[in-house]
């Protein structure tokens, strides 16, 4: 898929078929996520793949009851490894680790789209509940729960609102 076409045609998909995602395909999505840049090339991010139904239910509850999180056959929690980045970058490391995880999440979404999967970046959740459910250390911050599955909807492209001053050019 042409990259610009992929960027323009990707949508957040929240309705999925129940059939599972093969493990090899899931692993290829992680490989794609890992192509993302990272501060100092430290890859200060982690991935937790969840297909277990009870755990999906728990994560959906942590995400304020968002049903598509429970219904997706696969969830990938992308986490910022704050310690890994802070060792080199001190207090700036927290921000870098979050940016590392964000960049990886975007690559993951595009790879999923390229593979014909539907995916949604879910950021509305209770950090502590997710951390507890996934047994994450205190310095590992869950950044996104990406819900994935074979799409059961094809939503229209949402409008992008433009704000005054959104783009400025110092020439
Ligand atoms: C940081 C972030 C957090 C988001 N959190 C949620 C979420 O918790 N639940 C959800 O359904 N969508 C969530 N989304 C998806 C947005 O709603 C979606 O990207 C936006 O409406 C634009 O639609 P599009 O992705 O189809 O272009 C999130 C997206 C981002 C980037």
């Amino acid at each position: 898929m042409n990259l610009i076409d992929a960027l323009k045609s990707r949508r957040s998909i929240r309705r999925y078929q129940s059939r599972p995602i093969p493990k090899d395909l899931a692993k290829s999505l992680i490989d794609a996520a890992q192509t993302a840049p990272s501060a100092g090339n430290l890859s200060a991010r982690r991935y937790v793949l969840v297909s277990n139904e009870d755990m999906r239910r728990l994560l959906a509850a942590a995400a304020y009851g968002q049903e598509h999180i429970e219904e997706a056959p696969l969830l990938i929690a992308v986490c910022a490894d704050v310690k890994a980045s802070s060792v080199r970058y001190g207090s700036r490391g927290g921000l870098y680790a979050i940016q590392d995880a964000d960049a990886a999440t975007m690559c993951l979404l595009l790879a999923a789209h390229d593979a014909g999967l539907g995916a949604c970046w879910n950021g509305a959740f209770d950090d502590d509940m997710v951390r507890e459910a996934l047994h994450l250390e205190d310095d590992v911050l869950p950044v996104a729960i990406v819900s994935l599955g074979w799409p059961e909807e094809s939503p229209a492209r949402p409008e992008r609102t433009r704000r005054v001053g959104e783009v400025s050019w110092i020439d």
Side-chain angles (χ1 to χ4, degrees):
M1 196 186 291
N2 169 286
L3 178 59
I4 299 298
D5 288 345
L7 289 170
K8 289 186 175 168
S9 60
R10 182 209 57 79
R11 298 271 72 79
S12 288
I13 302 296
R14 301 178 179 85
R15 292 187 59 215
Y16 317 99
Q17 299 167 24
S18 56
R19 73 181 157 113
I21 294 174
K23 285 206 163 154
D24 281 354
L25 179 52
K27 283 182 197 154
S28 77
L29 299 179
I30 302 301
D31 289 343
Q34 280 296 85
T35 66
S38 65
N41 201 25
L42 291 178
S43 288
R45 53 199 169 213
R46 293 199 202 169
Y47 310 90
V48 185
L49 283 73
V50 176
S51 52
N52 176 276
E53 209 174 326
D54 291 338
M55 185 59 83
R56 279 161 32 207
R57 194 170 304 122
L58 208 57
L59 290 175
Y64 312 109
Q66 297 190 68
E67 286 175 7
H68 64 278
I69 294 185
E70 181 176 343
E71 284 156 12
L74 180 67
L75 303 173
I76 301 180
V78 186
C79 307
D81 188 340
V82 174
K83 190 173 174 187
S85 195
S86 300
V87 165
R88 185 181 302 177
Y89 294 114
S91 60
R92 192 89 179 147
L95 173 64
Y96 286 166
I98 292 170
Q99 290 174 331
D100 288 2
D102 285 339
T105 302
M106 194 61 227
C107 289
L108 201 163
L109 292 182
L110 288 172
H113 179 45
D114 184 53
L117 289 164
C120 184
W121 176 326
N122 300 286
F125 51 75
D126 182 291
D127 289 350
D128 290 335
M129 280 176 76
V130 172
R131 203 181 260 126
E132 195 180 320
L134 299 180
H135 304 290
L136 302 174
E137 297 103 297
D138 285 347
D139 46 19
V140 175
L141 178 72
V143 166
I145 298 174
V146 180
S147 47
L148 293 140
W150 303 102
E152 190 86 277
E153 63 170 352
S154 49
R157 190 175 182 197
E159 282 291 310
R160 292 289 192 249
T161 43
R162 308 217 81 180
R163 268 176 237 100
V164 177
E166 186 180 85
V167 179
S168 56
W169 191 332
I170 301 172
D171 202 3

